[in-house]
Amino acid sequence: MNKVKDHLLQGILWISAILTIVILVTIIGFIFLKGYKLMNISFIFGDYSPTGGGGIWPMIITTIYTIMISLVIATPIGVFAAVYLQEYAKQGRLVRMIRFATESLTGIPSIIYGLFGAVFFVATLNFGMSIISASLTLTIIILPVVIRTTEEALKTVPQSYREGSLALGTTKLQTLLKVILPSAVPGILSGIILSMGRIIGESAAIFLTAGTVAALPEGIFSSARTLTVHSYLVTQEAGDIELASAIGIVLIVIIFVLNLTATYISNKLNKAD
Amino acid sequence: DNEDSSNARYTLSISGSTSVGPLAEKLAEKYEQQSKINIEINQVGSSAGITNSIKGVSEIGMSSRDLTEEEIASGLKETIIAYDGIVVVTHPSNKVGDLTIEEVKDIFTGKVKNWKQLGGDDMEIVVVSREDGSGSRDAFQEIVGYSSSELIKSALIASGNGNIKNTVATNKHAVGFISFEYIDDTVQPVKINGVEATTKNVLNQSYRLSRPFLFVYKMENLSKEGQSFIDFILSPEGQKIVSDAGIIPLK
Amino acid sequence: MKTAVQLPKNNSFQPQNNKNAKISVHNFNLFYGEKQALFDISLDINEKEITALIGPSGCGKSTFLRSINRMNDLIDNVKVSGEIFIDNENIYRSNDVIKLRTKVGMVFQKPNLFPMSIYDNVAYGPRMHGIKNKKVLNHIVEESLRGAAIWDEVKDRLKSSALGLSGGQQQRVCIARAIAMKPEVILMDEPTSALDPISTLKVEELLSQMKENYTIVIVTHNMQQAARVSDRTAFFLNGEVIEYDTTDTIFSVPKDKRTEEYITGRFG
Amino acid sequence: MKTAVQLPKNNSFQPQNNKNAKISVHNFNLFYGEKQALFDISLDINEKEITALIGPSGCGKSTFLRSINRMNDLIDNVKVSGEIFIDNENIYRSNDVIKLRTKVGMVFQKPNLFPMSIYDNVAYGPRMHGIKNKKVLNHIVEESLRGAAIWDEVKDRLKSSALGLSGGQQQRVCIARAIAMKPEVILMDEPTSALDPISTLKVEELLSQMKENYTIVIVTHNMQQAARVSDRTAFFLNGEVIEYDTTDTIFSVPKDKRTEEYITGRFG
Amino acid sequence: MSGFMEKSNRRKYFLEKLSGKLFLICAFISVISLALIISFVFFKGFRPFVAEGYNFIQFLLGYDWVPGEGHFGVFPMIVTSLYATIGALIIGVPIGLFTAVFLAEIAPKPIVKILSPAVQLLAGIPSVLFGVFGLAVIVPFLQNYLGLAKGQSLIAVIIVLAIMMLPTIVTVSETAIRSVPQSYREGSLALGVSEMRTIFKVVIPAAKSGIMAAIVLGMGRAIGETMAVILVAGNSLMIPTSLTDSVRPLTTNIALEMGYAAGIHQEMLFATGIVLFSFILILNFILAKISAKGGQ
Ligand SMILES: Nc1ncnc2c1ncn2[C@@H]1O[C@H](COP(=O)(O)OP(=O)(O)OP(=O)(O)O)[C@@H](O)[C@H]1O
Ligand SMILES: Nc1ncnc2c1ncn2[C@@H]1O[C@H](COP(=O)(O)OP(=O)(O)OP(=O)(O)O)[C@@H](O)[C@H]1O
Ligand SMILES: [Mg+2]
Ligand SMILES: [Mg+2]
Ligand SMILES: O=P([O-])([O-])[O-]
């Protein structure tokens, strides 16, 4: 009887995993099948041309810019915020409030972030439609993910590590930097990877704040177009699924490389394990 | 190609409609070659573009819808730079290839629910419309003669020409409307009152489904570079680019 | 300072007004939330002696030990009253817990090495206190591991993870990590409970050597160990100190019947 | 079956061809990756006896103990060779580890209670094996906690988290959790190392009682404990069994010099 | 004398204080952002009700949404959002959680090595492409296999959202499950409890907090998603009576019309945002309650 149940449970796990794999393969397969024909050197490294046949190099650069800047801003803020909530704050009203705020941020549709960013960063702070406005908007979007995943990672660091370190007369900060955060790296990393996904996948929040200028950005105050915004525009107006899919392939490769890099860095940080 | 652009070059910022955007990009590409300015085009939607031009975030806004009274009151001026033809499209397998304006109205208001009633196969009609506020939709409804509240409730709403096209292309029951420039062989254009949807027929006014593309700006924000770009668009050279792009020139 | 202290009411012994007292505890109470775990503890712990804390499981030995370096601060809802003086400084008044914990090292009941290499575990404390010179660190690490009777077993695998060690090995590396800081006081919570007799002997020898320089407080379940290594012994029961005296007295002529019962039930 | 077994080469003793053998180990080797931790272990463990495993820290006692219920399966890169028979069944051939582990209970070196209430921890095993009746469960929980000499301390807080207990209390609840399953064999990895003498005594009494029904294998650092409770003792050194004999023999006339050295260095 | 006694730890305490403050500020940034966004949305969204005399109750419970004629009722969208979110959770959470369990506990190593990063790839595919995929694969599939006139439907939305939640749920829960101490597993297995039951009775409960985080974040992704949903929802303005009806959730309403909306119409879209906001707050509140209950 128990055995039957066990097999059943195991079956459920396998089926779920297989479903996930099927979904993955279908989607990625779809994107590759639809998009591979457009792939060539000049498509990737060429400049954009509004009359067609151009490449997507400016969008690739813009995408990388946006990811880097958003992560550089959001990761420390998010990790530190999680550290505050988990390691410093007395668990109480304040913490619950911050946590609630953070979680409520996750469900706001990106178009609202975009409109907010357009009013706040673009107009009020006068950053203009620019990569920096978009990155700041994206920072708000991904903060909840970074904060929450980091918090969870911190929770799993055994209390005995903290005790062991503090008992040696180290400060909380030292304990945090040398013992706690390194042990939490895998969790933080998964948050960062998810955030990269969120940044890459975003369109509405970006085109309202960075615009859609299809040229190589001259700096972080330039308007620019990310790959996803590009694929959004070509789907929306031209309905060009092949082009959107080709952009999808490029994005998948970018994410793949970034994830590998992130994992590599985390292994480096964690080498004693 | 902006690589050789130096700081000395003037940057003209334009933002707005995603339907006007592609055309504006093509015009800008040509104009940048002969003038000494940079043109930044941001396709963020008509309303955002209009707001940007009112707030001075952009010098010129692009709109595919008419300005509201409020917007005009805030001092915006408009210039029509081209016309956009609108065509009713069905799935390529659909046998119905010609409709009267009345029939189109009956379809979109739900009076006619089956293609059989229009001489097609016995199957349900799936209506695909643009979203509320869309310039194409406003123009289409006005010319065909029904209001938003008359639109059949079960109509699918798609944002943008591309999404309508893809929706119709993947559903043999469907009927929708898109701009001329997006027509390709994945969908089938329908004649209206026997008249084919062509630029020529729009210009000779035998085909009635069209609406204007606008540039909007506040006079006090418009630089001489901005003015000369508008002048370029209205010139024969500019209008040739318009018609090459599959869009209807002014004359 | 001593004069200001009220004498405890419930306890059957009097604090000794010893000038040597390194640690002096007065009417110390500790609560885990509502639950009181320590009741009116008062005792003096002498400098350069070994003081053993004995008593049945759950009587509050670890809790008391952790009060001496304010490790209980980390637990939510812990409340304390009363005073603990170290070198005549009230440790619950001073805000310098770093100084306190640098001065007062600790070895925990469960080994709690960090997920780092053995070397990095031992070098952790000194590094955090600013020592960067490789040679000096190497020296400290070797000396400490030798001191904890574990050098020979790990010298070839200093760079491999400390978590791959056996339980007893881990405990000794914990001791090494604590003594690497050269504290003045060392608190040890059953440091040899996971050790084999030989390692235990080595650690006990180490304790006797260290006594010359350090003040040591040790929790142990092992009566013989308490008898063998300690100078004074405190017997805890249900969060109270029942008796505190020289080890000889406790083990030969205990004053309290409960102490005697506990001791004579002995066999460890 | 026995005849097929090759006699060990390196070891100084011969397995006893004992009909009573509950557990029979033949030429058992274990590797952590490249590193060999157990070398050619061969010994028979008798039914309804207590067998003690002694030896210095890191010699492989825990590793061997964990081989008997195949707990080492969980560690990556562990490779074994040789055989272990329980009730004449080769446990490394059979795939029914659940049956094996139901039959062979275990108490770990570090207490490892689940983050549940005390009650749920003890009731966990029986529940998972299908017992749902509240009364029966209550009975099992009480009996097991009493058996582990912890009932009185926890009877008023059965529903509160097991993780708030002191180290020794946790260890006894672990014992209770293991005996709640009424296994045939119980493996105990230093079960009393964190216990005070009285609890230790109680657990030892319990062991003696349980001996009537169960086969017990216990790792201990405490020579007296080994001498006191066990029928047979195996002395491990560097992953080998140096000597295995009746406890009397081991402690009075050990055959191997190293055993003698270890025993006489005794003091626990 | 202690080996490492510095004369003064003032510098360390200063750093300690400073870092504490820095962390506090970081924590407040999300509160400030939320406050700014809320006030922005509320400022815009409440004006029609305050200054123009629109009735908020009518807005909430109204059936008609015809911006051109001044009819603003979002009731069908509220119902749709509710169905879509719950539906996506019902499909996405178990698949995601079980996949995470599979990856963390029972999958052979080579599978983990490939599948884990592959799932994370899924996280970075732009939502537009999910929508395109939905439109090109899921919608026609539903059309053909259910014999519908149109595949744009509530069920299509639910499927797309469930898929989009997957990476978040899988990745976050997998990390949580992996960090459950091995000793818990050992403790259970040693009692002769099977691996499966150990997983379900000990490991998953021990990872509960992380799993809740996964659900909250996944749900956030699902609620906030617009671009993909626009393409597969159909966006019709009806109260869904079956899974195959084409529908318009709150988010899509905003994203769909914001590009061209002006004046009252735009403000009403912000008002839709307020409703959405309350919706999120209520859901988070319920989830927090559930997870607090499970914690006892
Ligand atoms: N997971 C592991 N990976 C690698 N080596 C290990 C692992 N576990 C134990 N060892 C090594 O195997 C040897 C035997 O370890 P084991 O835990 O069996 O010792 P023990 O006799 O139980 O010691 P103690 O009395 O200290 O608990 C030791 O050298 C130890 O470092
Ligand atoms: N974090 C905590 N929360 C609540 N109660 C606790 C906590 N830690 C310990 N206690 C309780 O306080 C009492 C004293 O615990 P303590 O750990 O000091 O005992 P101990 O004397 O060290 O026992 P052992 O010899 O078993 O380690 C016990 O009843 C214990 O259950
Ligand atoms: Mg203790
Ligand atoms: Mg061991
Ligand atoms: O051009 P429109 O997008 O407004 O129809």
Side-chain angles (χ1 to χ4, degrees), chain A residues 142-157:
Chain A
I142 62 174
L143 261 185
V145 181
V146 179
I147 293 179
R148 189 68 201 255
T149 46
T150 306
E151 262 198 90
E152 290 306 323
L154 291 175
K155 270 188 203 163
T156 62
V157 176

Side-chain angles (χ1 to χ4, degrees), chain B residues 104-144:
Chain B
V104 173
K105 180 179 170 183
D106 289 347
I107 291 173
F108 279 84
T109 54
K111 245 185 227 143
V112 171
K113 289 204 161 119
N114 196 306
W115 286 110
K116 194 174 59 184
Q117 292 165 269
L118 301 165
D121 293 335
D122 178 9
M123 59 183 183
E124 200 180 314
I125 298 177
V126 170
V127 172
V128 188
S129 169
R130 288 288 304 277
E131 70 277 16
D132 223 303
S134 144
S136 324
R137 168 162 160 176
D138 282 354
F140 184 80
Q141 291 184 172
E142 198 178 313
I143 299 163
V144 173

Side-chain angles (χ1 to χ4, degrees), chain E residues 102-277:
Chain E
F102 175 83
L103 287 173
E105 296 286 326
I106 65 171
K109 267 217 173 115
I111 295 190
V112 180
K113 276 231 166 90
I114 298 171
L115 191 52
S116 278
V119 170
Q120 289 166 353
L121 281 191
L122 204 54
I125 293 176
S127 37
V128 186
L129 272 181
F130 272 105
V132 168
F133 170 78
L135 188 60
V137 178
I138 296 174
V139 165
F141 177 87
L142 292 171
Q143 230 160 268
N144 296 337
Y145 282 81
L146 302 179
L148 305 171
K150 56 191 179 199
Q152 283 86 350
S153 57
L154 183 56
I155 183 72
V157 174
I158 289 175
I159 292 172
V160 166
L161 288 183
I163 293 176
M164 294 189 72
M165 278 163 55
L166 270 188
T168 311
I169 294 188
V170 173
T171 308
V172 177
S173 339
E174 189 191 338
T175 323
I177 293 168
R178 273 189 201 288
S179 51
V180 172
Q182 184 67 3
S183 66
Y184 291 174
R185 292 181 191 92
E186 290 186 347
S188 173
L189 291 172
L191 292 168
V193 175
S194 69
E195 204 185 334
M196 280 305 124
R197 308 206 90 199
T198 299
I199 291 170
F200 281 87
K201 296 290 174 177
V202 175
V203 178
I204 293 182
K208 198 197 68 203
S209 163
I211 292 171
M212 280 316 288
I215 295 174
V216 168
L217 293 176
M219 190 180 77
R221 181 88 213 247
I223 299 176
E225 186 47 49
T226 47
M227 292 307 169
V229 177
I230 286 182
L231 293 179
V232 299
N235 306 309
S236 310
L237 286 159
M238 301 186 307
I239 295 185
T241 53
S242 94
L243 281 174
T244 54
D245 282 349
S246 55
V247 292
R248 180 185 301 197
L250 290 163
T251 40
T252 344
N253 191 45
I254 302 170
L256 193 64
E257 298 185 355
M258 198 56 101
Y260 293 97
I264 295 280
H265 183 190
Q266 196 185 48
E267 287 163 345
M268 283 302 185
L269 292 176
F270 279 100
T272 313
I274 297 177
V275 176
L276 183 68
F277 227 95

Side-chain angles (χ1 to χ4, degrees), chain B residues 131-198:
Chain B
E131 70 277 16
D132 223 303
S134 144
S136 324
R137 168 162 160 176
D138 282 354
F140 184 80
Q141 291 184 172
E142 198 178 313
I143 299 163
V144 173
Y146 68 97
S147 71
S148 278
S149 56
E150 288 172 275
L151 175 68
I152 176 171
K153 280 271 178 282
S154 63
L156 297 179
I157 309 294
S159 59
N161 289 295
N163 290 334
I164 293 215
K165 190 176 76 178
N166 284 329
T167 304
V168 173
T170 53
N171 188 341
K172 56 187 197 305
H173 306 252
V175 57
F177 54 87
I178 60 176
S179 294
F180 278 16
E181 58 178 313
Y182 296 110
I183 296 172
D184 59 27
D185 53 14
T186 61
V187 290
Q188 169 180 274
V190 176
K191 289 182 201 156
I192 302 293
N193 295 339
V195 182
E196 224 174 311
T198 61

